[in-house]
Amino acid sequence: MSSALERHAADRLEGLYGRHAHLVDLVLALALMGCATLGSALTLPGAQPPDQDKVGVALMGVSCLALLKHRTHPRTALVVTAICTTVAVALGYLLTPLLLAPIMAALYWLATLTDRRTTRVYGCTTIVTMTLAAVFSDSMDHLSLVLRTIGPVFWLLLPLAAGRGTLARRAYLKSMQARAEHAERTREEEARLRVAEERMRIARDLHDVVAHHLALANAQAGTAAHLTRTDPEQAHRILTELTATTSAALRELKGTVGVLRRPDDPEAPLAPTPGLHQLPELTAACESAGLTVTVTTDGVPGPLDPGVDLTAYRIVQEALTNVSKHAAVDAARVRLVYEEAHLTITVTDDGTPRPRGTSEPGRGFGLIGMRERAQSVGGCLSAGHRPEGGFEVTTGLPLRPYAARSTASAPDPEPT
């Protein structure tokens, strides 16, 4: 508690010092002048004070005036102060901490305003000079050589240590401020990244829902129009399924957009997350649009992480949508291979590509979205034409997302 109060008081003093620098410097110079004047009047018991009282006061006055330029010329201020103090000691003034007050202040400011090498050179030179002056001063003959040596060294080392400590504290505060600013920028960048990832996820979801159901609805409508005259009952059945397809599309769109509402909004109910257990419904919807889908499973199906299960379902859904839209074929195959830690999904067809305007085969948002979904859970996806004809999409997914990505990159549960 006391250290915190001391730091707070030091911060307030530094703030005051920065706002009224020249006024504070003048007050400090006057205070140091008073200390030096008082120190020039002190003598040892039994010793005679020097006769040049006015000379001593003048020397101390010059040294204190030099301190007013310590901000721009700290070396010059120290040299002038050291010379004045040395002359005063040579004239017979007793070397006391009060007489050393101006030179101690100059050493402190030198340590806080200059680099380490400059502080070391000027500080050591000043200490040696003042120690020699004390050793050869007649006013200190009553003291032993040890006391005359230790005294100046001790008192002049104090401001140097205090100045270096102040400089280290300022550097620490500056680094802490830089860290805080960096952390703030990092939080802002992370927030922007999360927003971008969420926008990308919503875009993928909307693409999956719209592209799949509209492709099915288009195929069902075309088939029903073709059978209207030749097989009215079959056309009526397909139109009934078309209504179910469009209703499902509306539900999924409402649910997908509903995640943008507040979680407690009753108008945005969330349905269970889709997964591979809904493949029968998906294949049945494709068959109503004229695409027969054969699903085969190798290995023992194991439990899937919800994010992996959702990714697998969306990839199969998008791959079958692409077959229905872009391949002149009425059949597709889905193969699920369960291994110890991986699931491999292969969707193939034997058709030939339909004309798709200016877009290149194998390019588009569908494949981009499938590849992003696979990578988000630590998997990979490849797609391309088969040598024997047709198109193939192969996806490798871990049964569990990588530990480092399971909480950060797995897709969020989405409505159906």
Side-chain angles (χ1 to χ4, degrees), residues 47-169:
Q48 294 294 328
D51 298 332
Q52 302 88 353
D53 291 341
K54 295 182 179 180
V55 175
V57 173
L59 289 172
M60 294 300 100
V62 171
S63 65
C64 292
L65 287 176
L67 292 178
L68 295 176
K69 295 294 183 179
H70 74 273
R71 294 179 181 274
T72 56
H73 302 85
R75 301 172 183 83
T76 303
L78 176 62
V79 171
V80 173
T81 305
I83 292 175
C84 291
T85 307
T86 303
V87 172
V89 173
L91 292 176
Y93 289 95
L94 182 63
L95 188 63
T96 62
L98 291 176
L99 192 68
L100 289 174
I103 197 171
M104 292 171 65
L107 285 172
Y108 172 81
W109 284 319
L110 179 77
T112 57
L113 298 175
T114 61
D115 57 273
R116 186 182 298 273
R117 183 176 181 276
T118 301
T119 302
R120 186 183 300 114
V121 171
Y122 279 80
C124 292
T125 303
T126 302
I127 292 175
V128 171
T129 300
M130 298 310 303
T131 302
L132 292 177
V135 169
F136 294 103
S137 175
D138 295 336
S139 63
M140 304 184 69
D141 289 340
H142 299 79
L143 299 177
S144 65
L145 181 62
V146 174
L147 292 178
R148 283 184 286 176
T149 304
I150 293 179
V153 173
F154 174 78
W155 288 110
L156 295 180
L157 281 178
L158 283 180
L160 289 175
R164 299 309 302 180
T166 301
L167 195 63
R169 180 175 178 272

Side-chain angles (χ1 to χ4, degrees), residues 1 17 32 38 40 44 49 71 105-106 111 138 170 177 187 224 230 236 241 243 264 276 289 319 350 362 364 370:
M1 181 67 179
Y17 189 70
L32 292 172
L38 179 61
S40 63
L44 292 174
R71 294 179 181 274
D138 295 336
R170 289 176 181 174
Q177 183 179 2
R187 283 194 295 269
T230 59
H236 181 271
E241 294 175 351
T243 303
D264 57 348
L276 291 180
D350 299 324
M370 286 191 291

Side-chain angles (χ1 to χ4, degrees), residues 168-412:
R169 180 175 178 272
R170 289 176 181 174
Y172 172 75
L173 293 178
K174 186 176 180 180
S175 66
M176 292 298 294
Q177 183 179 2
R179 286 185 181 181
E181 293 176 355
H182 176 71
E184 185 66 23
R185 289 195 302 268
T186 303
R187 283 194 295 269
E188 293 176 356
E189 293 174 359
E190 183 178 357
R192 287 194 297 267
L193 180 60
R194 288 182 179 274
V195 171
E197 291 178 349
E198 184 65 13
R199 291 177 60 185
M200 185 179 298
R201 186 189 70 82
I202 294 174
R204 285 199 304 262
D205 296 341
L206 290 176
H207 175 272
D208 293 342
V209 173
V210 174
H212 172 68
H213 288 94
L214 285 185
L216 290 181
N218 180 67
Q220 290 171 337
T223 305
H226 178 72
L227 297 175
T228 300
R229 295 182 179 179
T230 59
D231 193 348
E233 293 183 359
Q234 180 68 9
H236 181 271
R237 184 180 65 82
I238 293 176
L239 289 175
T240 303
E241 294 175 351
L242 175 60
T243 303
T245 301
T246 55
S247 298
L250 291 175
R251 285 196 304 271
E252 289 205 28
L253 282 175
K254 182 179 179 180
T256 302
V257 177
V259 300
L260 302 177
R261 297 175 178 266
R262 295 188 301 272
D264 57 348
D265 192 339
E267 297 183 1
L270 300 181
T273 303
L276 291 180
H277 62 279
Q278 293 186 359
L279 279 184
E281 291 86 347
L282 178 61
T283 57
C286 292
E287 289 177 0
S288 67
L291 179 65
T292 302
V293 181
T294 303
V295 180
T296 59
T297 302
D298 295 339
V300 180
L304 297 176
D305 182 87
V308 176
D309 198 12
L310 170 63
T311 299
Y313 175 82
R314 287 304 191 195
I315 289 176
V316 174
Q317 182 188 54
E318 180 61 27
L320 293 178
T321 301
N322 288 341
V323 172
S324 177
K325 291 169 56 179
H326 304 305
V329 68
D330 56 1
R333 296 177 297 277
V334 178
R335 184 185 181 195
L336 307 176
V337 180
Y338 288 89
E339 299 177 355
E340 182 178 356
H342 287 81
L343 168 64
T344 303
I345 304 173
T346 306
V347 181
T348 58
D349 66 79
D350 299 324
T352 56
R354 293 175 179 170
R356 288 184 280 180
T358 59
S359 62
E360 301 178 5
R363 299 289 297 274
F365 292 108
L367 289 178
I368 294 175
M370 286 191 291
R371 189 169 287 110
E372 289 175 350
R373 282 188 178 275
Q375 292 175 352
S376 68
V377 293
C380 59
L381 182 140
S382 61
H385 294 286
R386 301 192 302 160
E388 61 272 20
F391 200 81
E392 180 176 271
V393 176
T394 303
T395 308
L397 302 176
L399 297 183
R400 295 282 177 178
Y402 294 155
R405 302 177 63 91
S406 60
T407 60
S409 300
D412 296 334

